């Protein structure tokens, strides 16, 4: 099958949905001729013009808020925040407006809006351009949170997100943009709320998100040589979370290691671990372990940043420690 | 207006320092020795210089992602700056911050900022401290044309105005916020026009003319110091390099860049100083050579400095 980078897969999903539905438009800072800070929207303005590829001023609150208003009145905006770190500027429009409108109005409104935003450390972009903030968003009833790890997933999940009638936060780890994978040319959907087993195994379940899926797969491949068979589960959607796929894997392996780049305390893994403790306690042969970033802002200096991001070595040693239990 | 010779020469030296510092940063960034996002101030030197020439050590500034020029103008140490850009333990932020977060609180530099528009309310708060404590310190908030479209601009100017705080909002209008031309991002030609909404003076000045900036900022700062409240000062200028290092600048015409290069603030001031009989060409050359050496030393200091140790990663999250 044809291979695409995750960046190109997302671009193709946008393009196909814009062709299919004239109500879909893109908005954000530098999304037009500049093609977005990372190039995700490159070429869209040439095909769809400035009415449907709307360059905005630097105005996150209004980027999100105008999308909420447009979505509530019949359009299907796909807005880009240049970095997830900038949601702070727009937070009221996300969690008090977009997320709650339907419920507060007694089910009389819908807000079919997608907010795309890159996250993640790795380029020395420092504390305000490198965060993983998915836990903030998972916590808010009314939002859906999608966090793909592979080009194939990114395309199918983005198309589903655009067709979903709810506000969807679509998080793109910026160090996955260049990752290649097989992606069908035709349009397809992947349901939100379905996890995917990226590698089967029998000794331990590693539940990993976004870039950490790749680190987990590398760790699993290394451990294979030591006779350890790890299963790697990618939730793909964090809200709603696919409890069933995770629990089924633990029924098989009896051990769980959760890996994410967000900080540990009240991070996404806290929810996953609590869910496992509630729903699969009897199947566990060992405590649940988490491999995460330390509880600090993201440091700038390359050696510190490298230390900040969970590595395949740290994942493997957590798994091995667990197998000793 | 009679400006002391020392001040004029300081301004020249400062502009040259910024220019040479930034050019060196560009080189080391290209060589992979400086990391992350780097936004250079080349072309805009007259603005920070003219403004900061009016400031005291105990005054405050808030800076932006394009902050090296502000830092240098407020007295920032070149070695500590360079070491920070190199990610070293000896840098201003112990390697934790990088270009977008360099700060020197002792010098009143409340940080570069990675969040566009993040500085408006912070400068307002620094102005509040000065007024609260009854001092005559002022706070200067540097910000771009693009930043003036953020909600914080409106909120902070309004607050500074109703509380009559000693804050000078200095807009560096370089005509673009990344790829977006100011003509498209707002429907007024001058950012300063927005001052009317807060009933504060709005002043437009040629940001490439250091003496014009010095004079206009001087008035605004005097006003702030004497308790008359904020001013919005707009300096029209231009950045010669890309938005960040690596930006191919497809969004602006080459002729425009060439036009602005003719208005380069440094040769322009050098000529003026020569006409005033203050700076002969060989003296100007000597100053440049001397500053270039200082920058060599800063680079050497950075390169020879140790990396932060891994245990430091969890330090400085909370104050004790
Ligand atoms: C809240 C926020 N939104 C967007 C950005 C990305 N960004 C960084 S600099 C910049 C352009 C700023 O333009 P302007 O204020 O005119 O300053 P200039 O770069 O021209 O000096 C943008 C959009 C950011 N860092 N923070
Ligand atoms: Mg600008």
């Amino acid at each position: 099958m044809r291979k695409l980078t995750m960046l190109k897969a997302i671009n193709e999903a946008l393009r196909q949905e814009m062709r299919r539905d004239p109500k879909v438009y893109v908005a954000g800072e530098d999304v037009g001729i500049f093609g977005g800070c990372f190039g995700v929207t490159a070429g869209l303005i040439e095909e769809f013009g400035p009415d449907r590829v709307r360059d905005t001023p630097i105005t996150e609150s209004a980027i999100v808020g105008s999308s909420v208003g447009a979505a509530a009145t019949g359009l299907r905006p796909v807005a880009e925040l240049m970095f997830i770190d900038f949601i702070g500027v727009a937070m009221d429009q996300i969690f008090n407006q977009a997320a709650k409108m339907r419920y507060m109005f007694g089910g009389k409104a819908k807000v079919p809006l997608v907010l795309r935003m890159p996250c993640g450390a790795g380029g020395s972009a420092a504390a305000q351009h490198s965060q993983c903030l998915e836990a903030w968003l998972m916590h808010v009833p009314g939002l859906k949170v999608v966090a793909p790890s592979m080009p194939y997933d990114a395309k199918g999940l983005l198309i589903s997100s655009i067709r979903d009638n709810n506000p969807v936060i679509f998080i793109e780890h910026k160090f996955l943009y260049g990752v290649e994978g097989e992606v069908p040319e035709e349009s397809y959907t992947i349901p939100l709320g379905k996890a995917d087993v990226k590698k089967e195994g029998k000794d331990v379940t590693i539940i990993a998100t976004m870039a950490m899926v790749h680190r987990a797969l590398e760790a699993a491949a290394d451990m294979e040589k030591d006779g350890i068979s790890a299963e790697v589960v990618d939730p793909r959607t964090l809200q709603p979370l696919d409890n069933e796929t995770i629990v089924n894997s633990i029924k098989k392996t009896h051990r769980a290691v959760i890996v994410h780049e967000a900080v540990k305390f009240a991070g996404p893994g806290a929810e996953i671990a609590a869910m496992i403790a509630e729903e699969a306690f009897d199947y566990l042969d060992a405590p649940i372990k988490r491999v995460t970033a330390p509880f600090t802002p993201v440091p700038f200096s390359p050696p510190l940043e490298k230390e900040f991001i969970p590595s395949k070595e740290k994942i493997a040693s957590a798994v091995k420690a667990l197998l000793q239990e | 207006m009679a400006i002391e010779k020392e001040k004029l020469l300081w301004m020249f030296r400062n502009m040259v320092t910024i220019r040479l510092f930034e050019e060196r940063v560009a080189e080391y960034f290209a060589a992979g020795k400086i990391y992350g996002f780097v936004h250079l101030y080349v072309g805009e030197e007259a603005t920070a210089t003219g403004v900061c020439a009016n400031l005291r050590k105990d005054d405050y500034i808030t800076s932006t992602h394009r902050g090296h020029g502000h830092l240098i103008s407020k007295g920032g140490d070149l070695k500590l700056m360079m070491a920070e850009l190199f990610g070293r333990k000896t840098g201003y932020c112990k390697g934790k911050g990088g270009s977008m977060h360099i700060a020197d609180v002792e010098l009143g530099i409340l940080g570069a900022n990675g969040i566009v528009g993040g500085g408006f309310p912070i400068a307002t708060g620094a102005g509040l401290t000065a007024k609260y404590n009854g001092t005559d310190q002022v706070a200067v908030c540097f910000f771009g044309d693009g930043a003036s479209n953020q909600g914080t601009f409106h909120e902070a100017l309004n607050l500074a105005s109703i509380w009559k705080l000693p804050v000078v909002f200095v807009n560096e209008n370089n005509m673009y916020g990344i790829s977006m031309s100011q003509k498209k991002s707002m429907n007024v030609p001058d950012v300063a026009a927005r001052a009317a909404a807060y009933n504060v003076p709005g002043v437009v000045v040629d940001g490439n003319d250091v003496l014009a900036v010095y004079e206009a900022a001087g008035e605004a700062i005097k006003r702030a110091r004497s308790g008359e409240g904020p001013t919005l000062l707009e300096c029209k200028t231009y950045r010669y390099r890309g938005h960040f290092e690596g930006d191919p600048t497809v969004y602006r015409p080459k002729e425009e860049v060439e036009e602005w290069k003719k208005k380069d603030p440094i040769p322009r001031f050098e000529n003026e100083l020569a006409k005033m009989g203050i700076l002969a060409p060989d003296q100007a050359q000597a100053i440049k050579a001397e500053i270039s050496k200082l920058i060599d030393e800063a680079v050497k200091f950075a390169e020879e400095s140790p990396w932060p140790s891994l245990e430091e990663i969890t330090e400085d999250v909370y104050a004790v």
Side-chain angles (χ1 to χ4, degrees), chain A residues 30 58 60 124 128-129 300-301 304, chain B residues 36 84 87 95 101 114 150 179:
Chain A
D30 305 283
I58 306 167
E60 286 80 13
S124 284
Q128 296 173 339
H129 286 72
F300 161 72
S301 184
L304 294 185
Chain B
E84 187 59 32
H101 306 294
Q150 283 286 37
S179 72

Side-chain angles (χ1 to χ4, degrees), chain A residues 190-212:
Chain A
I190 296 173
L192 306 190
K194 281 303 297 167
D196 190 39
V197 177
K198 294 295 181 200
K199 177 189 168 296
E200 299 212 1
K202 55 183 183 19
D203 298 330
V204 59
T205 298
I206 305 176
I207 302 125
T209 61
M210 298 188 276
M212 290 303 119

Side-chain angles (χ1 to χ4, degrees), chain B residues 62 76 117 159 215 240 301:
Chain B
T62 60
L159 200 60
E215 199 174 347
Y240 292 154
F301 174 76

Side-chain angles (χ1 to χ4, degrees), chain B residues 145-146 174 176-177:
Chain B
D145 46 296
N174 61 11
Y176 291 87

Side-chain angles (χ1 to χ4, degrees), chain A residues 227-241:
Chain A
I228 298 166
S229 160
E231 178 144 308
V232 177
V233 178
D234 174 5
R236 299 195 293 193
T237 304
L238 294 167
Q239 175 58 255
L241 188 66

